[in-house]
């Protein structure tokens, strides 16, 4: 069969297996996957889809029914798919809008947080890796007893200083990034959102990191406006205040656009949108949301510190199910808030989970007889070790089931260790083996031990589970065939 014939046959089979053209609301594709919004997902034959020649996996998330096909190949299959079904071509954003209508309020909240923070990940990861590089240069005892690289080679001091300046910029001005992204997501002008962020970290305000000391010393600067006493305090390192302020900005801006005459709109709307939002931020929103953020941060720290190893193991056990639903994205703003407070334990937890999925997938590669699954497991297992788990989870582990359970247990073991040793990251980073560069210099070894424990234990448990007919469907099928 030629490539063209394979593409055509795959498109024909998938069209029928998802319930036919009448069951499709919209269809698009990304680099590797068909992204469909179906009227009724129960009509889709998932087992049949997974047996199709070019299909590497399938999963449903955030209202979208996604079929993993692969880079390049998905383009060809998609062209034939929409042509056969008489389906109008949709963009990814249009598919997302259609999928949003099918989500419940909790899913919509998680998606909102994801849409705001996921675009910021490259900037935060770049800064985190630079912080990690600075840690390597300045950590005492990492390469030389009682000395850092900078102390051993003073010529590196200015390089380390420059890297540190570059690394801290994204976190010092984080509200600007969030303001831009959130305003855009809420339907407002993203540049006005950035202005709100700039106002919140203005040099005229008391730096947020100095606020606690200023309160104790009674030296917090204030404005006296219309009888109100308003603290002149910035919001460096905070997340919730600028998120809510960006939402208010977007609503005020849209309200004004509808009511201000067109001839004055470009002058009046930006002025009053920013001025009203800034006033509300400093008088109401900022204080309330700063307190809410502190409660969330302190609550997670209390769970981490008071439950200790048990809490870490429970967190590690449930992290994979959270990832399946996409709810792990809601932890990113919490991670940022914890980092701003001095250090976060979430990167170590996420890294243990990811490498556990990788270890389970690589073991599944050795235990399965399915050549197609072996090929998928080989590449997706390595990808999971580096922090990208979706192909491993949805393409292999969930399909075979027992590797997924083993990965959850392996994650719990590793997470118990990193919790016991209190591994903290000083910046968000890639949640895999390479995430060690983003943790405190003294925690790097324990981070690597914890992730290695997760991978090895997930691999071993997967191997044990694979010998159980109750857990391993392939083994049970082989036994039935032999008995017949």
């Amino acid at each position: 069969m030629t490539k063209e014939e394979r593409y055509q046959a795959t498109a024909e089979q998938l069209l029928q297996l998802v319930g036919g053209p009448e069951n499709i609301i919209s269809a698009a594709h990304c680099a590797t996957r068909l992204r469909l919004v179906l009227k009724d997902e129960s009509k889709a034959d998932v087992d049949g889809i997974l047996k199709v020649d070019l299909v590497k996996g399938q999963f449903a998330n955030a209202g979208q029914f996604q079929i993993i096909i692969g880079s390049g190949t998905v383009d060809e299959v998609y062209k034939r798919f929409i042509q056969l079904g008489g389906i109008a071509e949709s963009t990814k954003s249009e598919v997302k809008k259609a999928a949003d209508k099918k989500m419940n309020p909790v899913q919509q909240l998680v998606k909102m947080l994801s849409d705001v923070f996921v675009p910021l990940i490259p900037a935060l990861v770049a800064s985190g890796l630079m912080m990690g590089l600075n840690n390597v240069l300045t950590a005492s005892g990492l390469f030389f007893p009682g000395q850092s690289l900078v102390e051993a080679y003073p010529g590196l001091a200015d390089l380390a200083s420059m890297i540190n300046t570059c690394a801290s910029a994204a976190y010092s001005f984080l509200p600007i990034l969030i303001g831009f992204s959130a305003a855009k997501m809420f339907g407002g002008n993203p540049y006005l959102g950035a202005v709100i962020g700039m106002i919140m970290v203005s040099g005229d305000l008391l730096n947020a990191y100095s606020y606690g000391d200023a309160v104790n010393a009674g030296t917090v600067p204030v404005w006296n406006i219309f009888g109100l006493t308003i603290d002149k305090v910035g919001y460096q390192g905070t997340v919730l205040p600028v998120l809510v302020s960006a939402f208010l900005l977007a609503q005020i801006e849209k309200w004004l656009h509808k009511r201000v005459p067109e001839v004055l709109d470009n002058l009046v709307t930006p002025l009053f949108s920013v001025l009203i939002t800034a006033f509300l931020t400093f008088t109401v929103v900022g204080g309330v949301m700063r307190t809410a953020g502190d409660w969330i941060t302190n609550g997670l720290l209390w769970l981490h510190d008071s439950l200790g190893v048990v809490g870490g193991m429970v967190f590690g056990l449930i992290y994979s199910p959270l990832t399946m639903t996409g709810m792990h994205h809601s932890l990113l703003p919490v991670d940022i808030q914890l980092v701003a407070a001095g250090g976060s334990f979430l990167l170590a937890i996420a890294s243990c989970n990811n490498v556990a999925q990788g270890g389970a997938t690589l073991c599944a590669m050795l235990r399965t007889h399915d050549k197609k699954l072996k090929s998928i497991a080989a590449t997706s297992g390595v990808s999971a070790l580096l922090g990208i788990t979706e192909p491993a989870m949805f393409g292999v582990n969930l399909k075979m089931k027992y590797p997924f359970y083993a990965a959850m247990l392996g994650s719990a073991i590793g997470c118990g260790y990193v919790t016991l040793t209190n591994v903290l990251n000083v910046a968000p980073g890639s949640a895999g083996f390479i995430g060690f560069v983003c943790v405190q210099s003294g925690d790097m070894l324990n981070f690597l031990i914890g992730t290695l424990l997760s991978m090895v234990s997930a691999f071993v448990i997967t191997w044990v589970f694979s010998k159980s007919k109750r857990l391993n469907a392939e083994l049970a099928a082989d036994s039935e065939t032999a008995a017949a």
Side-chain angles (χ1 to χ4, degrees):
M1 185 181 292
T2 66
K3 282 186 177 181
E4 295 294 325
E5 290 171 338
R6 291 178 71 194
Y7 297 150
Q8 185 71 18
T10 299
E12 290 174 356
Q13 292 174 64
L14 289 179
L15 187 62
Q16 295 308 312
L17 290 168
V18 298
E22 63 277 4
N23 194 38
I24 300 172
I25 296 173
S26 61
H29 73 90
C30 60
T32 59
R33 287 163 281 165
L34 280 180
R35 292 171 174 260
L36 311 176
V37 178
L38 304 180
K39 293 177 183 177
D40 184 356
E41 290 186 5
S42 65
K43 291 182 179 180
D45 181 357
V46 174
D47 290 336
I49 289 170
L50 293 173
K51 292 176 183 176
V52 174
D53 178 29
L54 295 177
V55 172
K56 294 180 172 64
Q58 182 280 328
F59 65 97
N61 185 37
Q64 294 185 42
F65 190 88
Q66 302 190 35
I67 302 172
I68 305 169
I69 295 176
S71 180
T73 307
V74 70
D75 301 334
E76 300 298 328
V77 173
Y78 175 73
K79 291 175 189 174
R80 291 158 178 79
F81 183 84
I82 60 173
Q83 185 178 18
L84 286 168
I87 304 163
E89 188 169 353
S90 303
T91 63
K92 284 191 289 184
S93 61
E94 289 170 339
V95 169
K96 285 181 179 179
K97 287 180 182 178
D100 288 351
K101 297 176 183 178
K102 301 181 66 178
M103 292 192 290
N104 61 43
V106 174
Q107 290 174 320
Q108 290 177 356
L109 175 63
V110 171
K111 182 182 180 299
M112 180 270 289
L113 291 171
S114 174
D115 288 346
V116 170
F117 288 98
V118 168
L120 305 183
I121 288 177
L124 297 177
V125 168
S127 296
L129 290 174
M130 284 189 286
M131 285 185 181
L133 181 56
N134 183 64
N135 284 346
V136 170
L137 292 172
T138 59
S140 180
L142 191 60
F143 296 100
F144 304 101
Q147 276 190 314
S148 66
L149 273 174
V150 167
E151 290 169 335
Y153 300 100
L156 295 174
D158 286 342
L159 175 62
S161 176
M162 186 189 75
I163 290 172
N164 187 52
T165 298
C166 296
S168 62
Y171 294 96
S172 298
F173 301 104
L174 182 62
I176 299 174
L177 296 175
I178 297 175
F180 183 94
S181 183
K184 182 179 181 180
M185 200 280 296
F186 290 130
N189 186 319
Y191 296 98
L192 294 183
V195 169
I196 290 296
M198 293 173 191
I199 291 170
M200 294 174 75
V201 293
S202 169
D204 290 338
L205 304 173
L206 174 69
N207 190 294
Y209 300 117
S210 305
Y211 180 59
D213 293 336
V215 169
N216 292 332
T219 57
V220 178
V222 297
W223 287 299
N224 291 298
I225 302 174
F226 305 132
L228 295 174
T229 300
I230 306 167
D231 289 346
K232 294 173 62 176
V233 181
Y235 291 87
Q236 291 84 356
T238 61
V239 174
L240 293 182
V242 68
L243 195 62
V244 175
S245 294
F247 173 79
L248 289 176
L249 172 80
Q251 303 313 308
I252 293 168
E253 184 188 359
K254 286 187 278 191
W255 187 87
L256 288 171
H257 276 313
K258 292 178 182 178
R259 289 161 178 80
V260 174
E262 187 175 348
V263 68
L264 297 174
D265 192 36
N266 284 338
L267 295 174
V268 173
T269 299
L271 168 65
F272 284 100
S273 295
V274 171
L275 195 57
I276 294 170
T277 302
F279 185 78
L280 291 173
T281 296
F282 287 114
T283 54
V284 181
V285 173
V288 172
M289 289 299 105
R290 190 202 299 272
T291 301
D294 289 343
W295 283 353
I296 293 171
T297 300
N298 292 335
L300 276 176
L301 286 172
W302 177 83
L303 286 173
H304 178 264
D305 296 341
S306 61
L307 296 182
V309 175
V310 174
M313 294 183 74
V314 171
F315 209 158
L317 190 70
I318 66 173
Y319 200 93
S320 287
L322 285 177
T323 304
M324 285 173 57
T325 63
M327 290 187 69
H328 64 300
H329 289 305
S330 64
L331 296 174
L332 180 58
V334 178
D335 185 45
I336 295 170
Q337 189 88 1
L338 287 169
V339 166
S344 170
F345 57 89
L346 290 172
L347 178 63
I349 298 287
S351 296
C352 287
N353 169 77
N354 290 356
V355 300
Q357 291 289 339
T361 303
L362 292 174
C363 183
M365 175 190 70
L366 299 177
R367 300 301 289 166
T368 184
H369 306 312
D370 188 327
K371 291 182 180 180
K372 179 181 175 182
L373 203 59
K374 280 182 180 290
S375 175
I376 296 169
T379 55
S380 61
V382 174
S383 174
L385 297 181
L386 298 176
I388 307 299
T389 57
E390 283 80 2
M393 262 207 323
F394 295 109
V396 179
N397 295 347
L398 281 168
K399 181 179 179 180
M400 298 177 72
K401 295 185 176 63
Y402 71 87
F404 185 76
Y405 305 143
M408 290 175 63
L409 294 172
S411 173
I413 292 170
C415 288
Y417 180 83
V418 296
T419 302
L420 176 67
T421 53
N422 196 30
V423 175
L424 299 178
N425 59 292
V426 292
S430 180
F433 277 129
I434 64 172
F436 78 92
V437 299
C438 295
V439 303
Q440 296 179 146
S441 56
D443 293 339
M444 289 181 179
L445 180 60
N446 284 326
F447 176 92
L448 291 172
I449 291 173
T451 49
L452 189 62
L453 268 175
S454 289
M455 185 192 75
V456 172
S457 56
F459 187 99
V460 171
I461 295 170
T462 302
W463 191 281
V464 173
F465 283 179
S466 72
K467 294 179 177 292
S468 167
K469 293 179 184 178
R470 184 178 178 183
L471 295 173
N472 188 345
E474 275 189 340
L475 185 62
D478 289 345
S479 297
E480 289 175 6
T481 301

